């Protein structure tokens, strides 16, 4: 997704709350009980589902995927990803979870204790949207937090392609709180 596809901006957390609550209300019960709408905090210059070198925190990257987000077969040199329902990209189901995650990540967006922007990526789900071998799994420790998990063994290149397809379907609400693009 390129930057021309950004759909909106927010200047305050209240603006974000209004937008997110409307999306949740409009889509929570969509498609007979599916998740409806999911949110993800994205710290620029990262993309909705991938990271850029130097902007992933203290974690190792392989093909734009943080090694800490997925379970890798270590014997293959991080070439194969194996299923684990308790690992994957983090998504929020509710505004309260999204708000606390955004607040934490924006405090350290440019490094430890160095605040910066934190965009909100959102995705209105339909059953056919998830690529084969991937699913949303509820975090057993927090019912408002979901992982975009791998459900079958896949090559890292397949995971990267799947994540790119997912990112293409997501929309971004840009955070200009800190005066940056």
């Amino acid at each position: 997704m390129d930057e021309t596809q950004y759909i909106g901006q927010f200047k305050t957390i209240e603006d974000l709350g209004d937008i997110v609550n409307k999306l949740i209300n409009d889509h929570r019960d969509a498609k007979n009980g599916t998740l409806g709408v999911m949110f993800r905090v994205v710290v620029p210059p990262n993309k909705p589902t991938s990271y850029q070198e130097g902007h992933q925190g203290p974690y190792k990257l392989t093909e734009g995927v943080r090694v800490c987000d997925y379970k890798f077969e270590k014997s293959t040199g991080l070439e194969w990803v194996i299923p684990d329902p308790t690992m994957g990209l983090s998504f929020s189901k509710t505004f309260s979870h999204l708000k606390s995650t955004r607040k934490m990540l924006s405090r350290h967006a440019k490094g430890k204790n160095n605040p910066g922007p934190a965009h909100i990526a959102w995705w209105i789900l339909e059953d056919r949207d998830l690529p084969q071998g991937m699913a949303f799994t509820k975090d057993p420790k927090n019912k408002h937090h979901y992982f975009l998990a791998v459900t079958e063994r896949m090559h890292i290149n397949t995971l990267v392609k799947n994540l790119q397809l997912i990112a293409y379907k997501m929309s971004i609400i840009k955070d200009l709180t800190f005066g940056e693009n």
Side-chain angles (χ1 to χ4, degrees):
M1 177 187 276
D2 65 37
E3 292 195 28
T4 61
Q5 292 177 314
Y6 286 114
I7 62 147
Q9 302 173 7
F10 63 97
K11 299 263 185 205
T12 69
I13 200 69
E14 290 79 22
D15 292 342
L16 173 63
D18 293 343
I19 293 167
V20 170
N21 283 327
K22 181 175 179 355
L23 284 168
I24 289 171
N25 289 336
D26 289 349
H27 301 284
R28 169 70 43 79
D29 297 321
K31 303 295 178 184
N32 298 323
T34 62
L35 294 172
V37 62
M38 296 294 275
F39 303 94
R40 179 167 166 71
V41 178
V42 180
V43 175
N46 296 315
K47 303 294 181 200
T49 60
S50 64
Y51 294 85
Q52 290 188 7
E53 190 66 49
H55 300 278
Q56 76 276 9
Y59 309 103
K60 182 176 180 175
L61 279 186
T62 181
E63 305 291 326
V65 175
R66 291 189 325 176
V67 173
C68 65
D69 287 336
Y70 290 95
K71 191 172 203 172
F72 287 84
E73 275 184 11
K74 292 185 172 64
S75 64
T76 65
L78 305 178
E79 194 171 323
W80 288 91
V81 183
I82 54 179
D84 186 331
T86 64
M87 297 183 81
L89 287 181
S90 290
F91 281 80
S92 297
K93 182 180 175 185
T94 63
F95 176 64
S96 60
H97 185 269
L98 174 66
K99 181 179 171 182
S100 64
T101 302
R102 187 200 157 273
K103 183 177 179 182
M104 176 196 56
L105 291 176
S106 68
R107 271 190 247 146
H108 306 290
K110 294 183 176 181
K112 187 172 178 157
N113 297 318
N114 191 359
H119 302 332
I120 303 300
W122 57 275
W123 182 18
I124 298 171
L125 298 173
E126 295 183 27
D127 290 333
R128 66 185 180 275
D129 281 346
L130 288 172
Q132 181 178 338
M134 300 191 80
F136 277 107
T137 59
K138 190 184 300 188
D139 183 342
K141 298 175 187 171
N142 184 337
K143 67 181 181 178
H144 305 292
H145 179 240
Y146 280 74
F147 297 109
L148 180 56
V150 167
T151 60
E152 61 187 47
R153 184 176 183 261
M154 69 177 63
H155 194 273
I156 183 64
N157 292 338
T158 303
L159 175 60
V160 169
K161 286 178 189 170
N162 287 348
L163 293 174
Q164 288 170 342
L165 285 171
I166 290 165
Y168 180 73
K169 296 175 182 182
M170 296 178 81
S171 298
I172 301 287
I173 303 170
K174 227 177 175 183
D175 178 359
L176 295 180
T177 303
F178 297 96
E180 296 192 12
N181 294 327

